[in-house]
Amino acid sequence: MAVLLLAEVANGQLATDVVAKTVSAVAGLGDVHVLVAGEGGDAAAADAGKIAGVSKVLFAGDHSYCHALAEPVAALIVSLAGNYSHIAAPSTSDAKNVLPRVAALLDVMILSDVTAVIDADTFERPIYAGNAIQTVKSGDMVKVFTVRTASFDAAAMGGSAAVEAIGAAANPGLSEWVEDKVAASDRPELTSAGIVVSGGRGVGSKDDFAIIEKLADKLGAAVGASRAAVDSGYAPNDWQVGQTGKVVAPQLYVAVGISGAIQHLAGMKDSKIIVAINKDEEAPIFQVADFGLVADLFSAVPELVEKL
């Protein structure tokens, strides 16, 4: 058996952390072949070959695979599928756009957010906002799934897999790239950051959210937000942590003014250390926090920034 792993690549750079964690997840299923798709991804392909556990890197350098357009990438994967028992990718927005299309074209089920690989046919994934773990046994000839990377440690570096150039598959021509609009930030990327500071509805306004950002900058952290804060316009959508946002598992997660609704906990409860600051001592967030401070955030956070 062999596994085809779709690599996460942005601007020609490999998202090494999430790819290495996905390699760890699928390593027990057989030889791992990493697919890097997109013109100018030569460096990404070389970096993928350095991940321990990768036996081969397939590099499709055709321009049609740039900008992660789902339809041509899905067609490419389907053209390669006959050689693999499993097709996997990290649970990123790009992969969640591609792999369901792959599953549909192969007429198999899609398994999303896998948190454990029991054997070649059996997987675990969270349901009910993470309150239950579903064990799924698939009878499909090819298993197609995305991996919740927060549940796995990254594979070590030091590999030396060969890079093999492959040709393009027929482009369905169903979509085309127009432009990218990307917010620039000096902060770490939310899903791979070692420290995350998140603010909730208790912050009160978009202007007051600046104190969350100041604390994050002091700690060299990424900034997150609860859905309530995002829906209220305090923070942009791509900062949202939770069931309908991003799933994070940093070494340190600081929740400020967040009550701890079940949907938010689903996105951060795997964090190694959770610190909560909330003036309501009955807030559910304290039930999962390793350290809790019952205090007014508008006095506690500026003081914390000053002390740091």
Side-chain angles (χ1 to χ4, degrees):
M1 292 191 297
V3 182
L4 181 64
L5 193 165
L6 176 63
E8 181 76 7
V9 180
N11 299 320
Q13 300 297 311
L14 184 75
T16 306
D17 184 64
V18 296
V19 175
K21 288 179 177 178
T22 311
V23 170
S24 291
V26 304
L29 296 173
D31 290 341
V32 179
H33 296 177
V34 175
L35 172 62
V36 175
E39 188 178 36
D42 307 66
D47 288 343
K50 296 175 184 176
I51 299 174
V54 175
S55 59
K56 183 192 290 186
V57 178
L58 303 178
F59 175 47
D62 192 85
H63 182 68
S64 63
Y65 305 126
C66 295
H67 311 293
L69 287 178
E71 292 87 358
V73 175
L76 173 65
I77 294 174
V78 169
S79 73
L80 300 169
N83 299 321
Y84 298 97
S85 58
H86 297 77
I87 298 172
S91 288
T92 61
S93 56
D94 284 343
K96 285 183 174 181
N97 200 15
V98 174
L99 259 60
R101 288 175 162 84
V102 172
L105 291 168
L106 293 175
D107 195 24
V108 300
M109 68 187 296
I110 176 71
L111 277 168
S112 60
D113 289 328
V114 166
T115 54
V117 178
I118 308 302
D119 58 37
D121 302 320
T122 315
F123 309 85
E124 290 183 354
R125 60 183 298 274
I127 57 174
Y128 302 132
N131 279 297
I133 300 298
Q134 181 183 56
T135 301
V136 182
K137 189 175 182 69
S138 171
D140 290 328
M141 291 295 292
V142 180
K143 281 73 175 177
V144 180
F145 60 98
T146 62
V147 174
R148 182 173 285 192
T149 55
S151 302
F152 299 92
D153 294 327
M157 303 304 288
S160 56
V163 177
E164 176 185 329
I166 61 174
N171 189 342
L174 298 173
S175 60
E176 64 178 14
W177 174 80
V178 178
E179 65 174 328
D180 289 333
K181 291 186 177 180
V182 181
S185 175
D186 294 331
R187 299 189 183 102
E189 204 279 321
L190 183 56
T191 54
S192 60
I195 304 174
V196 175
V197 178
S198 286
R201 194 201 308 270
V203 177
S205 71
K206 183 176 181 179
D207 291 340
D208 286 334
F209 217 85
I211 67 173
I212 304 297
E213 297 179 58
K214 287 179 182 177
L215 178 57
D217 291 341
K218 184 66 71 170
L219 292 170
V223 178
S226 68
R227 177 168 180 170
V230 171
D231 286 350
S232 298
Y234 305 166
N237 284 30
D238 58 344
W239 288 4
Q240 184 179 325
V241 174
Q243 182 183 10
T244 54
K246 295 179 178 177
V247 177
V248 300
Q251 293 295 318
L252 172 63
Y253 187 88
V254 183
V256 182
I258 294 175
S259 64
I262 188 173
Q263 291 86 355
H264 185 76
L265 299 184
M268 46 65 72
K269 66 181 181 181
D270 290 331
S271 303
K272 306 302 183 288
I273 297 175
I274 299 172
V275 176
I277 301 174
N278 199 301
K279 65 181 180 181
D280 178 9
E281 63 183 30
E282 301 296 328
I285 191 71
F286 289 124
Q287 296 176 15
V288 300
D290 298 286
F291 299 93
L293 176 62
V294 180
D296 185 334
L297 68 89
F298 294 106
S299 58
V301 174
E303 184 178 356
L304 182 57
V305 171
E306 183 182 344
K307 298 292 189 203
L308 288 167

